[in-house]
Amino acid sequence: MSLQLLEQKPLENLSLDELRTLFRQRVRPEAIEHVMGAAESESTLKRNRKALDRLLFRQRIFHDVTDPDTSMELFGHRLPSPALISPVGSFRILRKNGEHEVAEGASLFGTMMFISGATQSTVDQWAEGISAPLVYMAYLSKGREKVLSAVKRADEIGYAAVGLTMDTLQPTKLRDRVPLSSDGKPRTVHLSSPDDVAWLKNEVSVPVVVKGIMNPDDARIAIDAGADCLVVSNHGGRILDFNRAAIEVLPEVVDAADNRVPVLLDSGARRGGDIAKALALGARAVLLGRPICWGLGAAGPEGVARVLSIFTDELRRVMIMTGTPAIEDITPALLSLDPNNVWFRGM
């Protein structure tokens, strides 16, 4: 389809690939490079995708599942889908009011949005006119004083949770370049300590989320320090080259969590089927980053809502084709193992 015809197509009929095409047409090349890039050889970014592709579904046709329930609960909020929005710090480089437009898109669909502490909007500005439940994810590289001010305010005005993105021992990279921070300054780093988790847990009344978990030992340490939720994430391949894929680590972290806290998956999901795969391996929900950027760059808030709708429709399709009536019925039995896969055990 020509670009002219694509631009005339109703938004509700646009596919994810078409939204990505419009994103590339409507967003500045340097912004696209920033959003789509990853560290050094980009091996981790590619592995996130390859690992998900190796997990296959077990189709079932003799059942009566025609209208599966995709809703789920997190932090006391009932959500229409386990497709959530990841804490991305660069929405504003895609569109002038990109940060608030993403939150508007979250509200249109009714999902939960995780907010990056690297964004420019304040906690109050993010919540202004927004009905979506919000989770503020701080960076301790900004200092405890600034973090404390933000998380306490988030707690006061009704955020669903707050948390720490803790894989900040090194700055993010785009190939061999370390981009400047959101305020135009060199990026700073911060060592991770369970004391920081315990400190935050003591300061707020809402659940505390720890993001950047890629090791079961770290998972246990974070929970013992007070974490109420873990996010398995390799930062979309932007921190450590030749890291394991997030989906590869997920079963280990779920096992380490031992049902004490919910575990979320971030990094790599590109289709609704990826959400089903993550849930089958024990995730409660999946955070979407780059696909949300595609929707935002293509069509603003409505584009964000369209991406979430596509992911949920694809998840629903998987559930119908596997005879799965509700999210809580998704188990490892949903999956089959690609013979070339050597990392997943238990099938």
Side-chain angles (χ1 to χ4, degrees):
M1 180 181 293
S2 69
L3 180 61
Q4 183 178 7
L5 290 176
L6 184 59
E7 290 180 332
Q8 295 172 355
K9 192 172 181 180
L11 178 62
E12 62 270 20
N13 294 335
L14 288 176
S15 69
L16 193 62
D17 286 341
E18 289 170 335
L19 286 168
R20 183 168 50 190
T21 297
L22 289 176
F23 159 80
R24 290 190 173 278
Q25 289 294 323
R26 295 174 175 176
V27 173
R28 294 176 293 110
E30 58 270 27
I32 294 174
E33 179 186 11
H34 183 92
V35 167
M36 299 302 293
E40 299 166 13
S41 74
E42 299 189 338
S43 170
T44 303
L45 173 67
K46 297 169 186 174
R47 190 174 182 90
N48 279 335
R49 184 65 257 154
K50 289 178 181 178
L52 280 160
D53 287 344
R54 289 171 180 162
L55 290 169
L56 309 178
F57 295 118
R58 296 180 183 271
Q59 178 176 306
R60 289 184 58 223
I61 58 172
F62 293 115
H63 57 76
D64 60 359
V65 178
T66 59
D67 187 23
D69 182 5
T70 64
S71 68
M72 47 81 68
E73 185 173 312
L74 185 62
F75 306 140
H77 292 267
R78 195 71 186 173
L79 305 172
S81 164
L84 315 182
I85 297 180
S86 185
V88 175
S90 52
F91 290 135
R92 68 188 173 281
I93 71 172
L94 304 180
R95 287 169 63 96
K96 182 179 179 180
N97 298 315
E99 291 182 353
H100 203 267
E101 287 183 338
V102 172
E104 290 176 12
S107 292
L108 286 173
F109 186 77
T111 198
M112 182 175 290
M113 178 172 181
F114 286 62
I115 294 167
S116 170
T119 56
Q120 290 185 343
S121 300
T122 66
V123 166
D124 287 275
Q125 288 170 336
W126 273 110
E128 187 176 345
I130 297 302
S131 60
L134 304 175
V135 178
Y136 182 79
M137 297 299 298
Y139 282 92
L140 280 165
S141 55
K142 293 182 176 294
R144 274 195 179 187
E145 185 177 342
K146 287 187 177 180
V147 168
L148 184 59
S149 176
V151 297
K152 278 190 168 293
R153 182 58 182 158
D155 192 354
E156 289 171 2
I157 65 176
Y159 274 52
V162 299
L164 298 170
T165 297
M166 301 196 74
D167 55 356
T168 54
L169 285 74
Q170 287 288 283
T172 57
K173 291 183 75 175
L174 302 178
R175 288 287 186 171
D176 294 319
R177 177 175 63 87
V178 176
L180 297 175
S181 67
S182 59
D183 56 7
K185 298 178 181 179
R187 291 177 180 261
T188 56
V189 298
H190 192 278
L191 295 180
S192 299
S193 169
D195 292 340
D196 293 322
V197 180
W199 163 76
L200 181 58
K201 178 67 175 176
N202 190 54
E203 295 290 346
V204 295
S205 63
V206 292
V208 169
V209 181
V210 174
K211 178 175 176 284
I213 299 297
M214 287 290 292
N215 186 294
D217 290 336
D218 285 344
R220 284 183 281 266
I221 290 170
I223 294 171
D224 290 344
D228 300 298
C229 177
L230 304 179
V231 181
V232 176
S233 171
N234 57 31
H235 219 106
R238 296 162 80 93
I239 290 286
L240 176 63
D241 202 17
F242 296 100
N243 202 352
R244 288 194 293 168
I247 194 72
E248 291 175 302
V249 178
L250 176 63
E252 297 177 10
V253 173
V254 169
D255 184 62
D258 195 25
N259 294 315
R260 291 180 289 171
V261 303
V263 177
L264 314 182
L265 181 78
D266 172 83
S267 303
R270 297 291 182 271
R271 309 294 326 195
D274 296 334
I275 296 178
K277 293 173 183 181
L279 268 56
L281 296 182
R284 176 75 62 85
V286 174
L287 307 185
L288 306 178
R290 289 179 175 94
I292 295 297
C293 292
W294 303 341
L296 174 66
E302 292 79 12
V304 170
R306 176 60 184 154
V307 167
L308 293 163
S309 177
I310 290 170
F311 271 78
T312 303
D313 287 346
E314 291 177 348
L315 170 62
R316 183 175 179 275
R317 184 182 183 90
V318 170
M319 294 171 71
I320 291 173
M321 291 305 301
T322 56
T324 309
I327 290 297
E328 54 267 26
D329 297 310
I330 296 179
T331 70
L334 190 80
L335 300 179
S336 179
L337 185 62
D338 184 320
N340 295 319
N341 189 314
V342 297
W343 60 264
F344 184 66
R345 299 292 182 264
M347 287 295 172

